[in-house]
Amino acid sequence: MTHYDVLIVGGGAAGFFTAINIAEFNPELKIAILERGKTVLSKVKISGGGRCNVTHAEFMPKELSQNYPRGQKELLGPFHSFMTGDTIGWFADRNVELKTEEDGRMFPVSNTSETIIDCFLSETKRLNIDILTGYSVNAIDKVDNAWNVKTTKTNFTCEKLVIATGSNPKMWNILQRLGHHLINAVPSLFTFNIKDPRIEGLAGIANFAEVKIPNSGLESEGPLLITHWGLSGPGILKLSAWGARELNKYDYKFPIVVNWVPGFNSDSIMEDLMKIKNNSGKQKVSKYPQFELPKRLWIKICKASEIVEEEVWANVSKKQLEALAIQLTNAEFQVNGKSTFKEEFVTAGGVDLKEIDFKTFRSKKYQDLYFAGEVLNIDAITGGFNFQNAWTGGYIAAKSIAES
Ligand SMILES: Cc1cc2nc3c(=O)[nH]c(=O)nc-3n(C[C@H](O)[C@H](O)[C@H](O)COP(=O)(O)OP(=O)(O)OC[C@H]3O[C@@H](n4cnc5c(N)ncnc54)[C@H](O)[C@@H]3O)c2cc1C
């Protein structure tokens, strides 16, 4: 039976960040990371399309917390201790410069996740942290003042235990046996499958839009991307994250209403349509897109409003104009299933946040049991926020462990 001061279960983003910070705060502690896989940091490697979207250029704790459908309230306090600026500084201190893209996402300047992995691996080496791969933890017991940790290879004991296993159902069962309550897992960050002639053949076209799900209170706005399977893009992904639980209940079959011209509604846009009709009577409706809509999308919208290709504005009837107003601002689509968003996907669910002390990321049930990362019932919209949760939790847990 090997003994460590601190054992970290899970060699992902949260596990490494916690381990490195504990060792920085207290170099005397004997620390090991137990990872069930052959390699560590496998999600970091594929993250952000291989570039690792490390964090997001949002520097106000409250605004940052608003990107977490689960964890918004709980992360507000922790963000006052460690958030974006600290993440940037932490990596800069280790010679990893981050850059910000137009939409706020932050990546290593090198444009490769290997930079983050190299940084973590050289830091664990410098700080003498043991990385034990191929050790899958299958039981955890509290015996007197120590933890007994059983793995597929050998068993360990430790004083302090950090669970950073992401959304792994096996670990959830172990935690349940320890008396923790787990919120069941449902997918978050997915795209909507829609088969509809109005978007058929338009894959690749994007437009800023508002989307809502009738009678659910769920709505969002942002770029919508038409794909071969339906709709994607930040506007849809945000909706999938905020609605993760609700949409699961609907079995991913529900209507959505798209407003392709945010700022207008079907009444206010009628005035503009009337003006165009009066001023451009001889112009073919389909030929010249209005409201800065992409041409091919405009043509489909006209067609859906029963305006034929050759129709000129002067000949458009009131009924057609009303249909056009609806198709522009209130277009209903039926969602029938979901698809995985390749760039980033997460699971909603995990350890019930009520059972965590967010000043330390410690279990309220056990003094020396800590959690960091996706194992908690915390998840965010896409954009670097999920890693920021891992860095914030890992840092605060590390500080508490090193000081206690
Ligand atoms: C394709 C993809 C791309 C992504 N891109 C981004 C991005 O660019 N930016 C962003 O912010 N987020 C991104 N995410 C989300 C982000 O990767 C996760 O939120 C983050 O990795 C969570 O870190 P974690 O350490 O909590 O869990 P994980 O990274 O899942 O690590 C958990 C580790 O624990 C190990 N483990 C599990 N059970 C056991 C056990 N019983 N014993 C021992 N070890 C165990 C696992 O093998 C794993 O290595 C992406 C996700 C995916 C899937």
Side-chain angles (χ1 to χ4, degrees):
M1 192 95 87
T2 316
H3 183 79
Y4 281 91
D5 294 313
V6 188
L7 275 178
I8 319 264
V9 189
F16 269 79
F17 208 72
T18 313
I20 294 167
N21 283 298
I22 299 171
E24 283 279 21
F25 286 128
N26 188 346
E28 302 292 307
L29 295 175
K30 197 171 167 232
I31 305 165
I33 296 174
L34 300 177
E35 166 56 49
R36 71 179 168 150
K38 279 200 200 109
T39 52
V40 290
L41 298 164
S42 51
K43 265 203 203 170
V44 171
K45 187 163 184 192
I46 55 165
S47 67
R51 295 197 299 143
C52 187
N53 180 190
V54 178
T55 185
H56 199 96
E58 172 54 73
F59 298 94
M60 304 300 285
K62 185 139 190 269
E63 273 70 20
L64 184 62
S65 73
Q66 281 163 359
N67 295 290
Y68 295 81
R70 284 143 298 269
Q72 177 175 10
K73 181 166 62 84
E74 291 80 3
L75 283 175
L76 186 56
F79 283 156
H80 280 96
S81 301
F82 193 93
M83 60 175 282
T84 319
D86 308 291
T87 305
I88 299 168
W90 193 95
F91 282 104
D93 288 346
R94 289 158 181 84
N95 297 319
V96 177
E97 297 298 328
L98 303 182
K99 59 167 179 178
T100 311
E101 305 219 320
E102 246 175 54
D103 56 6
R105 291 181 304 157
M106 300 195 73
F107 295 89
V109 168
S110 64
N111 260 335
T112 164
S113 54
E114 294 290 352
T115 306
I116 305 298
I117 295 175
D118 290 348
C119 166
F120 284 167
L121 292 180
S122 68
E123 283 295 273
T124 43
K125 196 166 173 210
R126 177 177 72 82
L127 295 160
N128 291 320
I129 296 166
D130 290 341
I131 300 170
L132 306 174
T133 51
Y135 287 76
S136 180
V137 172
N138 47 32
I140 295 170
D141 296 294
K142 186 86 210 249
V143 181
D144 301 326
N145 284 330
W147 288 103
N148 272 2
V149 178
K150 289 194 184 127
T151 79
T152 38
K153 286 189 181 162
T154 49
N155 298 342
F156 299 87
T157 55
C158 66
E159 312 292 320
K160 303 251 188 292
L161 184 61
V162 181
I163 308 296
T165 44
S167 314
N168 184 277
K170 196 169 125 194
M171 181 51 72
W172 291 17
N173 292 338
I174 297 173
L175 294 172
Q176 265 166 340
R177 281 200 291 277
L178 284 175
H180 268 291
H181 179 234
L182 275 290
I183 309 289
N184 74 315
V186 296
S188 183
L189 293 181
F190 47 84
T191 65
F192 294 172
N193 294 354
I194 298 168
K195 221 175 150 25
D196 192 293
R198 287 168 293 176
I199 53 170
E200 213 172 82
L202 298 189
I205 285 183
N207 195 62
F208 195 91
E210 286 167 359
V211 201
K212 60 181 178 205
I213 302 175
N215 307 319
S216 71
L218 290 164
E219 55 183 49
S220 80
E221 60 169 33
L224 247 62
L225 173 69
I226 301 172
T227 69
H228 291 290
W229 298 273
L231 288 174
S232 178
I236 296 294
L237 293 165
K238 253 191 266 177
L239 206 54
S240 80
W242 286 98
R245 298 228 154 256
E246 196 78 9
L247 304 184
N248 180 260
K249 276 192 225 149
Y250 300 161
D251 197 20
Y252 307 103
K253 295 182 181 75
F254 51 90
I256 58 169
V257 173
V258 177
N259 183 349
W260 295 110
V261 203
F264 284 97
N265 60 35
S266 52
D267 289 334
S268 63
I269 209 162
M270 264 309 261
E271 287 172 29
D272 283 57
L273 293 175
M274 285 304 289
K275 269 188 218 149
I276 302 168
K277 178 176 158 72
N278 293 335
N279 297 338
S280 315
K282 287 190 189 143
Q283 226 176 57
K284 282 186 188 158
V285 182
S286 294
K287 200 163 176 197
Y288 301 99
Q290 305 291 335
F291 310 104
E292 295 175 19
L293 287 168
K295 184 163 185 188
R296 289 197 292 144
L297 177 62
W298 171 253
I299 292 171
K300 290 274 191 183
I301 289 173
C302 291
K303 208 168 165 199
S305 315
E306 301 196 344
I307 297 171
V308 294
E309 216 182 310
E310 297 301 309
E311 196 93 273
V312 293
W313 279 101
N315 292 342
V316 174
S317 68
K318 182 149 182 274
K319 200 172 149 216
Q320 285 171 314
L321 275 192
E322 279 165 357
L324 187 54
I326 296 286
Q327 288 301 332
L328 285 166
T329 61
N330 234 332
E332 193 169 312
F333 292 87
Q334 184 60 37
V335 176
N336 207 342
K338 60 172 176 52
S339 293
T340 308
F341 173 56
K342 298 279 185 319
E343 287 280 296
E344 177 174 348
F345 51 89
V346 292
T347 308
V351 178
D352 193 338
L353 303 185
K354 288 203 263 323
E355 299 178 348
I356 305 298
D357 165 25
F358 280 94
K359 287 197 177 71
T360 54
F361 280 73
R362 182 160 48 191
S363 157
K364 285 183 184 166
K365 292 181 183 285
Y366 298 90
Q367 272 282 320
D368 35 24
L369 179 64
Y370 291 78
F371 296 95
E374 221 182 286
V375 66
L376 292 166
N377 182 26
I378 293 179
D379 62 270
I381 61 169
T382 176
F385 305 104
N386 282 302
F387 278 140
Q388 186 55 56
N389 166 47
W391 315 141
T392 297
Y395 184 88
I396 294 175
K399 198 155 187 270
S400 170
I401 290 169
E403 285 169 356
S404 61

